[in-house]
């Protein structure tokens, strides 16, 4: 399975504290109809940290059912508890996901050897394509290029990584050590085009929740060797990327989707509504861009 192009790190719509299945299905359908190349349920943007295991599984199950094989589903299945990550990965496979997105264990701060053994244990228990997820800003641990290369060499199921360091030198080293077939996806909406330029294959995006067509167009232009178009999309999306991170993700993107009429505005504590000033800034921005 190749994970290439623009993948959306889907938000999880809630209503009165429960998953809003109807809004979720409609969001997924709109993404596919808008040309997105793949979807990621139960990532950071999907507020996986506040979901019960039953909810987590329900979200993956619904996503796979709604997609019906039209685009790849890369299911978030990681945890800082290795046994729990095994359980969630096993469910993702049984539910029919095309791959599992496995974040580095957060809070524990494992060594590089601990990170290696964590992913090795998951692979020993479940066989399916794995995309590692390196986001030191969330986890306080950095999965270094030599460790990525070791995992890629020793574990055939480790086919790629979502790199959210924003560090192009690190991305370049990963590709240097792992080779051009290793699938490196940007986890940083600001650096999609630069990452593609050093050999990356796409992005797992927050911004594509509201602009699936534009993020997909950026990637498509790059793969069609249309650099002027790719650069145009890069700069068009730059202001949206800044706006989607004026507060902690996914607060701005869920607020934007609610203003666009696609979901209810509901997050789970400890996430809260945007400050009034930032909410007004976002509303004005979306109105100016003719999204509302």
């Amino acid at each position: 399975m190749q994970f290439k192009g623009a993948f959306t790190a889907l938000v999880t719509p809630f209503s009165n504290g429960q998953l809003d299945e109807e809004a979720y299905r409609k969001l997924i359908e709109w993404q596919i109809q808008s040309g997105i190349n793949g979807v990621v349920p139960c990532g950071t943007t999907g507020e996986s940290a506040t979901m019960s295991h039953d909810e987590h599984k329900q979200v993956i199950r619904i996503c796979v059912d709604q997609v019906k094989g039209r685009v790849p589903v890369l299911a978030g299945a990681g945890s800082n508890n290795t046994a729990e990550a095994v359980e969630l990965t096993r469910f993702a496979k049984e539910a029919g996901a095309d791959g599992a997105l496995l974040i580095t264990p957060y809070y524990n701060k494992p060594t590089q050897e601990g990170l290696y053994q964590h992913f090795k244990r998951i692979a020993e228990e479940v066989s399916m394509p794995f995309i590692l997820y390196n986001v030191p800003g969330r986890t306080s641990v950095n999965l270094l290029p030599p460790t990525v290369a070791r995992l890629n060499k020793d574990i055939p199921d480790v086919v790629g990584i979502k790199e959210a360091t924003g560090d192009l030198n690190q991305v370049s080293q990963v590709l240097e050590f792992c080779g051009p077939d290793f699938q490196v996806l940007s986890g940083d909406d600001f650096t999609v085009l630069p990452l593609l330029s050093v050999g990356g294959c796409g992005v797992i995006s927050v911004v594509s929740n509201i602009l699936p067509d534009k993020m997909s167009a950026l990637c498509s232009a790059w793969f069609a060797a249309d650099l002027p178009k790719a650069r145009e999309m890069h700069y068009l999306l730059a202001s949206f990327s800044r706006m989607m991170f004026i507060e902690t993700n996914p607060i701005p993107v869920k607020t934007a989707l609610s203003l666009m009429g696609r979901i209810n505005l509901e997050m789970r504590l400890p996430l809260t509504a945007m400050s009034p000033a930032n909410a007004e800034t976002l509303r004005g921005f979306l109105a100016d861009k003719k999204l509302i």
Side-chain angles (χ1 to χ4, degrees):
M1 170 60 65
Q2 189 172 36
F3 302 100
K4 181 178 179 179
F7 280 60
T8 296
L10 294 165
V11 303
T12 305
F14 297 117
S15 180
N16 298 316
Q18 304 298 314
L19 169 67
D20 187 339
E21 181 174 343
E22 181 181 0
Y24 190 50
R25 286 184 179 273
K26 286 182 177 178
L27 179 65
I28 293 167
E29 194 61 31
W30 175 61
Q31 290 281 321
I32 294 172
Q33 295 301 321
S34 300
I36 206 66
N37 303 117
V39 292
V40 180
C42 296
T44 304
T45 308
E47 295 175 85
S48 58
T50 56
M51 285 190 219
S52 69
H53 281 195
D54 285 345
E55 288 175 320
H56 191 114
K57 293 173 181 179
Q58 181 187 16
V59 168
I60 292 173
R61 189 184 299 112
I62 291 169
C63 184
V64 171
D65 178 68
Q66 187 64 35
V67 168
K68 291 182 170 60
R70 290 174 291 173
V71 298
V73 175
L74 183 60
S79 173
N80 67 336
N81 176 334
T82 303
E84 186 174 280
V86 168
E87 177 190 345
L88 293 173
T89 304
R90 182 176 289 118
F91 176 82
K93 180 177 181 176
E94 292 170 352
D98 299 286
L101 181 68
L102 300 175
I103 195 167
T104 55
Y106 36 88
Y107 187 76
N108 313 58
K109 297 185 75 172
T111 63
Q112 295 299 302
E113 181 63 24
L115 293 169
Y116 174 86
Q117 294 296 337
H118 171 78
F119 294 119
K120 182 171 181 285
R121 175 63 59 83
I122 298 170
E124 288 170 348
E125 298 290 336
V126 187
S127 180
M128 70 185 302
F130 296 150
I131 299 292
L132 310 175
Y133 179 15
N134 189 36
V135 56
R138 292 268 186 177
T139 65
S140 296
V141 64
N142 189 5
L143 185 62
L144 298 175
T147 308
V148 177
R150 184 184 172 199
L151 286 161
N152 177 234
K153 175 177 178 291
D154 294 349
I155 305 171
D157 284 334
V158 174
V159 299
I161 188 169
K162 175 185 176 182
E163 256 294 339
T165 58
D167 183 345
L168 290 174
N169 180 46
Q170 178 156 326
V171 168
S172 184
Q173 286 186 34
V174 167
L175 283 157
E176 176 189 354
F177 297 164
C178 295
D181 293 334
F182 193 66
Q183 300 173 57
V184 179
L185 294 147
S186 175
D188 174 21
D189 280 311
F190 299 93
T191 62
V192 179
L193 182 57
L195 182 137
L196 288 169
S197 75
V198 297
C201 65
V203 58
I204 297 175
S205 171
V206 174
V207 172
S208 61
N209 274 283
I210 61 170
L211 290 175
D213 54 338
K214 299 297 191 295
M215 190 60 77
S216 177
L218 189 163
C219 294
S220 295
W222 173 261
F223 293 122
D226 187 348
L227 183 55
K229 180 67 173 179
R231 189 183 293 122
E232 176 190 345
M233 289 296 101
H234 169 77
Y235 286 112
L236 183 151
L237 288 164
S239 60
F240 288 93
S241 296
R242 288 191 294 272
M243 192 57 60
M244 290 304 100
F245 291 91
I246 58 171
E247 288 191 14
T248 302
N249 176 51
I251 294 171
V253 72
K254 290 194 91 170
T255 305
L257 284 167
S258 72
L259 290 169
M260 292 166 67
R262 297 204 172 270
I263 65 170
N264 290 326
L265 180 54
E266 186 171 320
M267 283 149 298
R268 285 186 170 172
L269 287 170
L271 298 184
T272 58
M274 293 183 80
S275 70
N278 281 340
E280 192 55 38
T281 298
L282 176 60
R283 180 186 292 275
F285 174 83
L286 294 174
D288 182 63
K289 300 297 184 181
K290 298 182 169 50
L291 287 184
I292 60 173

